[in-house]
Amino acid sequence: GMGADQYSSFVGSIVASSLLGLDNYGYAGGALPFWISMAGIIAAIIGMLTVRTNEGASQHDLLNVLRRAIFVAATFELGFMAIIIKVLEMDWALYFCLLIGLFAGIAISFWSEYFTSSAYSPTRRIASSGIFGPANVVIEGISVGSYSTIGPVLIIASTIIAVRALSGSAFGIALASTGLLSILGITLATDAYGPVADNAGGIAEMARMPAHVRQNTDTLDALGNTTAAVGKGFAVGSAVLTAVSLLTSYTKRVGIQSTIDAISDPFFIPGVLVGAMLPYAFSALTMGAVACAAGSVVIEVRRQLNEIVGLREGKEGVNADHTRCVAMVTGAALYMMVPPAFLVIFSPIVLGIGLGPEMLAGMLLGAISSGFVLGGMMNAAGGAWDNAKKMNEKDGQKGSFKHKATVVGDTVGDPFKDTSGPAINIQIKLMSYISVVLAPLFKNQKRYWWAALIIIGVLALATPIYIYMCPPGLKDEDRIAAFKDKKEYSKVSTTEQEK
């Protein structure tokens, strides 16, 4: 699953650009995004060959190494794009659309880096706030995440205005998303190594290796959190450009591109409001899935500590039942992914058929707008919380009150940056894809508003009941067994509890 959101954005930008390129420039326009993406892979490989670092490098040094690789790849990609435009005999205005998209991606990466790296003040501020307790860490993290949305929104808005003026069509916006993601190879690589460094650090700690080994893996892991946030910024920014292109294609295919009146239409603005709500509903469902899986593990671990003789005391030869924990997490994850999947797939179908193509167009616009901002906030806040915790660990404060407060922040940040944030950009693109593919179904259809309201009502009632049943298969006696000795355990001394 690593990089799934970014790879989805990469493919989505090619598909959207090809669709619009065929409409505007024929076969050459359809081929252009594929050539640009192919050249970007080569440029990314060249950029990665420049990655070199010295022993004992600081977080700032490592970030500079990655910046150098990005700039080298971008320079080669600019040259490749010029050659491709010349060979395909395309309009040079399209070259500048690609160029603007590429530099928009680099600008977003620097902005995301500033708000998530421990080398800069926002993350340092979160680490320092741990002295006041976990509540301050959570508040500070949400504040940092919210601030981080300003830059990407202004960059993407400026990009859309600029490429529209250059190309005069939505094809320019789609090409900008292709340019933005053209050197994605570097971002994907740096994103994927983060979990490797994290797991290596865990192994080093459990194997009781020398302290400097853990320090090195922590430094690389912290860099991985930063590059992951950068990659997610790439993905969400490109998702907006791709979704806007698909929205244009949708309005054209249902025949409302020139007739829709955003202010006077009785369905468009309500659609925008519904669409703006959907990313929040989706995030609520996905974060609830994390809470469900985590809760089931807590119950199972406590049950095993109570029922397996010698496990709590750590007796030799006594092992926990790891297989059951893994099965519970997997089962809860699959079970809880059903409601968000239904939300994404059926929202455009129900609104498109029941309330018309104008309502669906408004819903897509609202989802793109709120999903972009919410996803960016979650990605940045989660990365900053994680790096703030690592800062306190690196400063020798592991186990202190300050460190424990940032651990709480990191626990909140994990579903932000690893679950809901990356999934939102897939949500807004998938709804756009479904709308474009099923456009003939929505065109000139009757307004079955009563059927749409019935379906929405049934789902609104059924979803809480479905969620309440999570985790599946967990019986009441399991919950009782997990907490049956709570009173006796509280009598044990603090030292024994910690042991």
Side-chain angles (χ1 to χ4, degrees), residues 63-301:
L63 287 170
N64 283 332
V65 168
L66 293 182
R67 286 195 197 110
R68 182 178 65 207
I70 290 173
F71 277 124
V72 169
T75 302
F76 275 93
E77 176 66 352
L78 288 175
F80 291 151
M81 289 191 300
I83 295 170
I84 292 167
I85 291 289
K86 178 69 174 175
V87 170
L88 293 178
E89 298 179 348
M90 303 291 286
D91 188 347
W92 281 99
L94 300 179
Y95 173 78
F96 290 102
C97 291
L98 290 163
L99 184 148
I100 290 170
L102 179 59
F103 280 102
I106 294 173
I108 290 174
S109 72
F110 286 166
W111 186 274
S112 301
E113 180 185 298
Y114 174 75
F115 279 93
T116 55
S117 172
S118 56
Y120 302 108
S121 60
T123 299
R124 291 180 176 275
R125 210 165 57 239
I126 296 173
S128 300
S129 67
I131 197 170
F132 302 112
N136 281 62
V137 171
V138 172
I139 293 168
E140 193 70 50
I142 293 175
S143 171
V144 167
S146 300
Y147 268 122
S148 73
T149 62
I150 297 172
V153 168
L154 294 178
I155 291 167
I156 294 298
S158 303
T159 299
I160 292 174
I161 293 171
V163 298
R164 272 279 192 183
L166 277 170
S167 66
S169 68
F171 183 48
I173 299 175
L175 273 186
S177 70
T178 304
L180 189 151
L181 287 166
S182 59
I183 56 171
L184 184 68
I186 289 180
T187 313
L188 274 174
T190 52
D191 186 19
Y193 95 82
V196 177
D198 197 357
N199 288 338
I203 293 169
E205 187 169 345
M206 289 186 289
R208 299 178 183 177
M209 297 182 76
H212 73 274
V213 177
R214 181 66 185 177
Q215 290 171 2
N216 287 338
T217 56
D218 281 348
T219 302
L220 293 174
D221 187 25
L223 181 68
N225 290 329
T226 302
T227 54
V230 168
K232 292 175 177 69
F234 261 77
V236 175
S238 68
V240 173
L241 296 175
T242 303
V244 168
S245 306
L246 291 169
L247 176 57
T248 304
S249 181
Y250 162 76
T251 57
K252 184 176 180 181
R253 287 167 188 256
V254 295
I256 61 172
Q257 187 175 31
S258 57
T259 59
I260 190 169
D261 187 338
I263 303 300
S264 302
D265 190 275
F267 291 94
F268 186 80
I269 291 179
V272 171
L273 294 175
V274 171
M277 170 272 295
L278 288 177
Y280 288 89
F282 182 80
S283 299
L285 292 170
T286 50
M287 284 193 284
V290 174
C292 163
S296 66
V297 171
V298 169
I299 290 172
E300 176 60 19
V301 167

Side-chain angles (χ1 to χ4, degrees), residues 246 250 341-349 360 364 427-442:
L246 291 169
Y250 162 76
F342 269 76
L343 179 74
V344 173
I345 294 168
F346 285 104
S347 293
I349 296 174
L360 180 51
L364 293 176
Q427 176 198 13
I428 61 179
K429 283 182 304 199
L430 186 54
M431 289 196 299
S432 301
Y433 286 138
I434 292 171
S435 302
V436 172
V437 171
L438 298 181
L441 188 65
F442 308 134

Side-chain angles (χ1 to χ4, degrees), residues 37-52:
S37 302
M38 180 198 69
I41 293 171
I42 297 170
I45 292 171
I46 296 170
M48 280 187 277
L49 293 174
T50 67
V51 175
R52 294 286 186 277

